[in-house]
Amino acid sequence: MCHHCVIDGVKKSMLSRRDLLRGAAMAAGAAAIGVAAAPQPLFAQAAMPTRAEDLTHELYDMFPTFFGEQQVFYDQKFNYAEHKFNLFQLTLNEHTGTHLDAPLHFSENGQSVSEIPVSNLVVPLCVIHIHDRAADDADAQVTPDDIKAWISRNGEIPDNACVAMHSGWENHLGSDKFRNVGSDEKMHFPGFHIEAANMLMEETNAVGLAVDTLSLDHGP
């Protein structure tokens, strides 16, 4: 990990957050692993990032979980009044709140989080909006037609992109609506249809999916 190319790459390209926000993320990632960055395609030049957005949710003790049981516990070991510093011991399920689902989660020998290349984590983001449909149908899903509509408006999905669903479900965080267990005792919230997932795997070079719900699959 301390190869001089890596060190030089970090020094030159990754110490400036302003460079990242100016669109140098792809070049910095390439430099950090010791390879030359290819010229950026037109779509990247036309949509350079101009600001940082925090898409995470702050965890709290009763943050909604897939199984419905508390998965976040805080135990304050030190406090400022007595010890002049604060320190909490945290116990949590690794799939609670905003998190990264590695292939290993549903694979016998898939990559773990530590094995995913950082170049697959700083990537173009394609957001597919289905919030209007989800407002009327909790079981709404991202379909191949939604992906085709996105492509018709924005062009091809970039290589190594993360394709994200925006269903508006973040508005229900903190209420029973987020898990939305129905009379059938099943959860009801939006997700990706399997045909959409298959389309992304077979017809694009996307590296990830993202959702604003409890699962990539819809609730049922």
Side-chain angles (χ1 to χ4, degrees):
M1 290 299 294
C2 291
H3 189 278
H4 70 88
C5 290
V6 176
I7 295 174
D8 289 344
V10 170
K11 286 181 179 178
K12 293 177 181 178
S13 302
M14 294 193 71
L15 295 181
S16 172
R17 292 185 181 182
R18 286 177 298 177
D19 286 345
L20 179 65
L21 295 178
R22 286 173 184 163
M26 300 174 80
I33 58 175
V35 298
Q40 295 184 16
L42 292 177
F43 72 81
Q45 296 174 356
M48 287 297 185
T50 58
R51 65 185 187 276
E53 292 285 350
D54 185 359
L55 300 181
T56 61
H57 287 291
E58 182 178 351
L59 288 177
Y60 54 89
D61 55 354
M62 295 308 295
F63 197 95
T65 64
F66 189 86
F67 297 107
E69 300 174 354
Q70 183 177 351
Q71 297 287 358
V72 182
F73 300 88
Y74 298 86
D75 182 10
Q76 187 162 10
K77 298 296 186 180
F78 299 90
N79 64 79
Y80 187 81
E82 296 180 58
H83 312 104
K84 299 307 178 186
F85 70 97
N86 292 301
L87 187 148
F88 285 83
Q89 178 174 299
L90 306 179
T91 303
L92 72 157
N93 182 297
E94 64 178 326
H95 296 288
T96 301
T98 308
H99 66 276
L100 172 68
D101 245 351
L104 184 62
H105 182 43
F106 277 110
S107 173
E108 182 178 1
N109 53 9
Q111 289 177 319
S112 66
V113 171
S114 64
E115 294 170 329
I116 297 176
V118 70
S119 56
N120 284 358
L121 299 177
V122 181
V123 297
L125 177 65
C126 306
V127 182
I128 297 179
H129 295 276
I130 64 165
H131 53 280
D132 289 341
R133 198 159 76 239
D136 297 324
D137 178 12
D139 294 332
Q141 298 180 73
V142 175
T143 67
D145 286 342
D146 293 317
I147 298 173
K148 292 175 184 177
W150 190 96
I151 292 173
S152 69
R153 290 192 301 269
N154 301 283
E156 294 298 322
I157 292 175
D159 287 347
N160 299 320
C162 175
V163 180
M165 173 191 77
H166 175 238
S167 69
W169 221 246
E170 75 280 359
N171 295 324
H172 304 310
L173 189 66
S175 73
D176 291 339
K177 178 74 172 178
F178 195 75
R179 294 186 75 248
N180 202 29
V181 179
S183 57
D184 56 0
E185 299 185 352
K186 295 181 179 180
M187 291 182 286
H188 294 271
F189 52 75
F192 276 84
H193 194 285
I194 188 160
E195 291 180 1
N198 286 335
M199 177 182 176
L200 290 171
M201 288 190 294
E202 295 168 2
E203 300 181 24
T204 78
N205 290 316
V207 296
L209 301 178
V211 296
D212 52 0
T213 57
L214 281 170
S215 176
L216 297 177
D217 298 301
H218 74 316

